[in-house]
Amino acid sequence: MTNTYWLYIVMVIFTVSSPGPGVLMTLDNAIANGWRASLSGVIGLALGAAVMAGLTSAGIGLLIRSSQPLFLFLKYCGVAYLFYLAYITWNRDVRQIAQQAANGQRGDQAGRWARLLRGVLLQTSNPKSLLFFLSVLPQVVESTSSGRPLPLPVAIATYCVVLILIHAVYAALAARARTWLSQPKAARLLSRLSAAMFFAFGITMLSLKF
């Protein structure tokens, strides 16, 4: 179990720290709202991951993977949500963000529950999360390399904790850049880049095959 667990941790760290929609959302929240406010979105991502892992363990994930209509529905929901994030990021008031960043205030009006919900929706609408849990969880939970499998609750809790820790670091680093946002041109550039990346992730998700 020890070897399996540490191998699983390495896989989770690599997966969670890799650039993706979740990482971009955390960076965007931290820059617009500060480190503390961005943590609600991080918690939402962790809750979404727990939901996806739970559905996978219940066999629902396998059902989705074996059914092309369900898989396509999930994929297009995820793509639509990424396009929506790209739209609102592109059109937000960058001058207000710049002024609030200079004063150390939040850059948008979304509350903590709204950011938490965004995190949950982003994670649960991402087919990549489903495919990760379908391919990795069965291997570590059913592993017998040391005579005992890794308990499913431990595997899910580990993923969530690692996600929170890594995204908290990302958010702390991004929050330090808020001073740079006191310049409207810089705020506009960052907003446009973030929107373009959300859109690019949506296009990439469209290429996922059943």
Side-chain angles (χ1 to χ4, degrees):
M1 177 177 177
T2 301
N3 294 336
T4 301
Y5 185 60
W6 285 111
L7 177 60
Y8 175 69
I9 289 180
V10 171
M11 296 172 64
V12 172
I13 291 175
F14 177 80
T15 301
V16 170
S17 60
S18 299
V23 171
L24 180 58
M25 171 178 280
T26 296
L27 296 176
D28 191 65
N29 283 339
I31 292 172
N33 305 289
W35 180 79
R36 186 182 299 274
S38 70
L39 293 183
S40 56
V42 174
I43 298 298
L45 292 172
L47 291 176
V51 170
M52 293 294 284
L55 292 177
T56 301
S57 64
I60 298 178
L62 184 60
L63 174 62
I64 294 175
R65 191 179 184 183
S66 61
S67 172
Q68 185 175 19
L70 287 177
F71 179 84
L72 292 176
F73 174 77
L74 178 63
K75 182 177 76 170
Y76 290 129
C77 283
V79 170
Y81 188 61
L82 286 172
F83 287 168
Y84 166 75
L85 291 178
Y87 173 79
I88 63 175
T89 303
W90 182 278
N91 290 283
R92 64 188 174 187
D93 189 346
V94 295
R95 290 188 178 276
Q96 182 182 15
I97 292 176
Q99 181 179 1
Q100 292 177 326
N103 297 330
Q105 300 173 346
R106 295 191 313 178
D108 62 34
Q109 301 301 317
R112 67 180 64 179
W113 294 110
R115 285 188 293 274
L116 186 145
L117 180 59
R118 288 179 185 175
V120 173
L121 290 176
L122 183 63
Q123 192 76 294
T124 54
S125 62
N126 188 353
K128 289 185 178 181
S129 299
L130 174 64
L131 296 178
F132 172 83
F133 289 122
L134 282 173
S135 60
V136 174
L137 274 187
Q139 297 184 42
V140 298
V141 171
E142 299 172 6
S143 174
T144 57
S145 58
S146 61
R148 290 180 299 172
L150 180 65
L152 179 63
V154 173
I156 296 177
T158 297
Y159 186 96
C160 294
V161 170
V162 171
L163 185 151
I164 291 173
L165 292 177
I166 290 179
H167 279 250
V169 173
Y170 274 135
L173 295 175
R176 295 180 64 87
R178 295 196 77 205
T179 303
W180 179 63
L181 290 177
S182 60
Q183 304 176 15
K185 290 183 178 180
R188 182 177 295 105
L189 175 61
L190 182 64
S191 178
R192 298 297 188 261
L193 288 176
S194 297
M197 291 184 67
F198 275 126
F199 185 80
F201 284 131
I203 295 297
T204 301
M205 190 176 292
L206 281 174
S207 66
L208 289 178
K209 302 298 183 181
F210 174 72

